[in-house]
Structures are given as C-alpha cells and as structure tokens.
Amino acid sequence: MLIKNSKKVVIKLGSSTVVDGKGKFKKKWVTSLIKDIKKFRGRNDLVIVSSGAIALGQNYLKIKKKRIKLEMNQAIAAVGQIHLAGEFQKLFDKHKIKTGQILISPDDTEQRRRALNVRRTFDNLFKLKAIPIVNENDTTATAEIKYGDNDRLAARVAQIIGADTLIILSDVDGLYDKSKSKTVIKTVSKIDSNISALIDNKKNSYGSGGISTKLDAAKICINAGCHMFIGNGKKNSPISNMMKNKIYTHFIPKISSLDARKKWIISSLNSFGKIYIDKGAAEALNEGKSLLPAGIVKVEGTFEKGENVLVVDENQKGLARGLSSFTSYEINKIKGKQSKEIENILGYLSKSEIIHKDDMVKL
Ligand code: GLU
C-alpha cells in the first residue's frame, strides 16, 4: 500500500465503521485506527472524512424510525455531529494528535473560488499539525444541494487538496468479482461497463453510499491522479489488516498532464447544462482550440457564467467539459453567430470564446 509514500492521505470512514448496531460510537475501533495511523502515517498530511452524525444523533435522541424526513434528519445531524466530532477529538487527544472540524457543502467544492478557499483551510490545518475531521454539512444541505454520501465528498476533497491516496473503509472487502464468489478484484484502472456491471446497490442500514457511489468516487480519483483503495473496516486495526492480508481493491489513477484547475473541472459532480456543437467546432476542440459561438447548434439547461457544462456533438456524445464564460440565456442569443456580432446582439463588449481552452478538458 502506498500510505507511507504518500504526501497527503484521506481516510473515509463509513457510518457502520464508526457507529455500532446500537448507535454507539465505536471507541475501540477508532482507537485501533489511530494506532494504525501513528504506525503508518510517516510524515504525510492526513484527513479523516467520517460519516456517523445522523446515526449517533438518532441514538442520542432515542429515535428508532428508519424513514425520516430530510428536515428532521438535518436537525438530528446537528445533534449527532457534535458528538461525532467530540468523540474523535477526545480519542485523538489521548494520542496527542490535534484535530479540527470541517463541514462541507457541495457549493464549497463545486465553485472554483470556494474550492480554493477550502484548500487553503486544509493547508493551514496541516501547518498547525491538526487532522481535519470532515463531514458533509448535513444541517443545511437540502435534497437538491446535497452530496448525500461521503464517498464522493471524500474523493472531491482528495482531488481539491491534491491527495495521493484515498482509503475508503466500509463493510466490504473491496469490489467483488461476481463471477467468482467472494473474490475481491485487486486492481482497477478504468471504470468501464464491466466494472459498472458489478454494482449491486446493496446498502447497509446506516450509510447512504454503496458500491455505486464508491465507483463515482473512484472516477474522480482516477482523473485526479489519486490512488483509491476500498478496504474492510469491520475489524480493529483496519489499515494493518489491509497491509497484512492484502485484501482490498486498488483503483490506479491515470497518469495525467492536467493541471490542478483542469483536474477540478473534469471531476465536477454535475454539469449545469449541455452545449451541442457542429462538426467543425468538434474538430477545433479536438485540435485544442476554444469553443466559439459559430459552432454551437443548441443549448440545454439553465446555467450562469463560470458554471460547469458538458459539450456534446449532435449525437449527444460527450466531447468536453468546461466552464462557460456566458450564461445559457446569452448563448441562446449568440449561438451560430460570428464572434464579431456578439457585441451587437448582447449590447456589450465581451470576450468571444464561449468556453476558453484553458477552462475546458476533452473527454
Ligand atoms: N453525512 C452523513 C452522516 O454523517 C452520512 C453520509 C453517508 O452515509 O455517506 O451521518
């Protein structure tokens, strides 16, 4: 495993790894993880992304119901998150390791300026030698603006801080090969249809993830140049076990020449809209040129300036992802037009690239 050679490592803990069946924080298990961390960490910077706020909150508030409304879950998470962070703080403190809490909403990672701020906060916590303990800001996140699972959140954090390794500890040994019962696939370097076919969407009683969100996380990591491991976190000393037994799935990243900004663009969770382009524009994109209005045939969705959009050909095949310099409303007005006509149509002087080549990544 690469944990020793990595400069920055993110460890993601699923709810069922930190909270037991009775809704109690698993102190013994977390202590064994802390010991593992001390053993293997070396000099690297470490981040913990932990779920468990809702599970702990339910237990504390004595709520047994399984189906709970989102608004109520937000309140339960507010109660549980204090306990979750407090438990981590106490245990790390016993081992003389400082911690800090970061609660993240999708806006914090999906808007470039905020993502840079998030990165700075992480960097400063590393300077203070404190381990950031991260969770989604469940108390404000509504259904439409929610990660909902910490797998993708952990991957996006890994990408934004430039981590080399993400370890996802959950209640499975890794990605199982369906054709051979209970055999874990050792390495994956591409999430193709064979790999996606392994999704069985089984979920445990607490977590909101499953294999599907773990594969989404793996896609982000593969593009971001970050190694990702899925390993079993049921038994104590999970990292030692993974190293000793060598049972885990390792997702190997692409060797990428993309800079940090382009890695961020390609790993965006969602696109706000689609821009359809003609053959000529597709050829120009292929040669690494910017996207001009002349080659645009259609716009789908509503988006603002600077938002992430997907560029597709007339058959809907994805060609690129990029940050639009114009709103969808403006593009609708200037699509198919020559660049010199833009000022006249929109009534103000602006740039002529709809998506500049520096803001675009080919798929
Ligand atoms: N953020 C949620 C919590 O702390 C869990 C999300 C997940 O299961 O990944 O309870």
Side-chain angles (χ1 to χ4, degrees):
M1 277 242 289
L2 294 150
I3 185 161
K4 265 192 182 155
N5 303 328
S6 298
K7 285 204 195 79
K8 281 183 194 161
V9 178
V10 178
I11 302 181
K12 186 260 169 179
L13 311 175
S15 294
S16 61
T17 60
V18 292
V19 181
D20 68 16
K22 292 195 184 110
K24 289 261 186 272
F25 187 73
K26 287 160 69 174
K27 285 192 187 143
K28 263 204 187 130
W29 185 86
V30 174
T31 303
S32 78
L33 173 73
I34 295 174
K35 286 187 182 153
D36 267 2
I37 287 171
K38 285 182 91 166
K39 199 154 126 202
F40 298 114
R41 184 175 167 198
R43 298 174 68 84
N44 60 27
D45 293 324
L46 182 78
V47 174
I48 303 256
V49 176
S50 180
S51 310
I54 295 175
L56 283 183
Q58 278 183 339
N59 175 55
Y60 178 77
L61 296 162
K62 302 197 171 38
I63 295 174
K64 292 240 154 50
K65 243 182 24 197
K66 285 260 176 281
R67 288 171 56 80
I68 299 168
K69 279 205 184 121
L70 178 74
E71 307 93 90
M72 188 44 91
N73 255 338
Q74 291 179 311
I76 295 172
V79 174
Q81 182 61 33
I82 297 190
H83 290 262
L84 184 65
E87 296 283 7
F88 274 114
Q89 192 271 333
K90 272 188 272 176
L91 292 185
F92 272 105
D93 207 46
K94 268 195 194 152
H95 291 87
K96 307 215 168 352
I97 300 174
K98 291 175 252 181
T99 47
Q101 174 187 254
I102 303 191
L103 299 179
I104 289 185
S105 310
D107 273 352
D108 296 321
T109 60
E110 301 314 297
Q111 291 178 19
R112 184 71 186 149
R113 199 170 48 83
R114 286 176 66 165
L116 292 174
N117 267 336
V118 166
R119 185 189 168 105
R120 205 167 310 131
T121 307
F122 275 99
D123 282 344
N124 284 323
L125 276 165
F126 298 143
K127 275 189 205 148
L128 296 171
K129 300 259 170 297
I131 294 185
I133 311 275
V134 182
N135 197 358
E136 176 160 15
N137 193 352
D138 291 311
T139 58
T140 55
T142 55
E144 309 81 65
I145 50 151
K146 205 168 158 45
Y147 271 99
D149 67 89
N150 277 357
D151 296 322
R152 291 175 310 142
L153 170 69
R156 201 64 167 131
V157 165
Q159 178 267 313
I160 287 170
I161 65 169
D164 349 65
T165 303
L166 164 63
I167 303 171
I168 295 190
L169 293 174
S170 82
D171 56 357
V172 291
D173 289 338
L175 192 59
Y176 293 112
D177 184 344
K178 271 191 190 160
S179 57
K180 303 176 209 137
S181 76
K182 287 280 159 191
T183 312
V184 167
I185 300 174
K186 290 222 164 333
T187 54
V188 177
S189 46
K190 199 170 167 207
I191 316 280
D192 54 18
S193 51
N194 293 336
I195 294 294
S196 304
L198 300 173
I199 300 173
D200 61 4
N201 277 330
K202 239 197 276 152
K203 287 179 185 171
N204 58 42
S205 49
Y206 287 141
S208 356
I211 283 300
S212 156
T213 55
K214 290 179 180 53
L215 291 184
D216 288 341
K219 279 185 205 157
I220 295 175
C221 287
I222 286 176
N223 280 323
C226 175
H227 293 265
M228 186 181 116
F229 296 85
I230 301 179
N232 202 317
K234 271 201 282 199
K235 295 206 181 110
N236 287 351
S237 314
I239 310 276
S240 296
N241 290 339
M242 282 173 76
M243 298 183 77
K244 197 167 72 206
N245 307 331
K246 307 225 169 342
I247 300 176
Y248 47 73
T249 302
H250 177 189
F251 294 86
I252 301 168
K254 269 198 238 164
I255 298 175
S256 156
S257 54
L258 296 179
D259 61 23
R261 178 179 168 78
K262 290 204 168 181
K263 280 182 185 163
W264 178 79
I265 292 172
I266 187 88
S267 315
S268 292
L269 292 185
N270 301 311
S271 296
F272 291 87
K274 269 188 200 163
I275 298 181
Y276 291 74
I277 61 172
D278 64 17
K279 253 198 176 155
E283 272 160 29
L285 289 201
N286 210 15
E287 286 163 18
K289 294 191 182 139
S290 300
L291 176 64
L292 302 175
I296 297 179
V297 286
K298 196 169 105 183
V299 189
E300 218 172 74
T302 310
F303 48 87
E304 296 298 320
K305 281 188 182 107
E307 286 188 334
N308 194 292
V309 293
L310 195 62
V311 182
V312 298
D313 67 12
E314 289 174 85
N315 300 319
Q316 296 246 35
K317 184 176 165 242
L319 302 174
R321 252 173 194 275
L323 306 181
S324 176
S325 299
F326 292 83
T327 66
S328 49
Y329 176 74
E330 289 169 328
I331 301 174
N332 261 317
K333 285 182 156 178
I334 56 178
K335 63 176 188 255
K337 304 282 190 226
Q338 292 304 314
S339 300
K340 56 178 192 297
E341 297 175 88
I342 299 179
E343 188 181 353
N344 236 341
I345 300 171
L346 296 181
Y348 43 81
L349 186 66
S350 67
K351 42 180 150 186
S352 53
E353 300 93 359
I354 299 291
I355 306 179
H356 191 274
K357 59 181 176 9
D358 293 347
D359 291 336
M360 187 156 48
V361 192
K362 277 192 278 175
L363 297 176

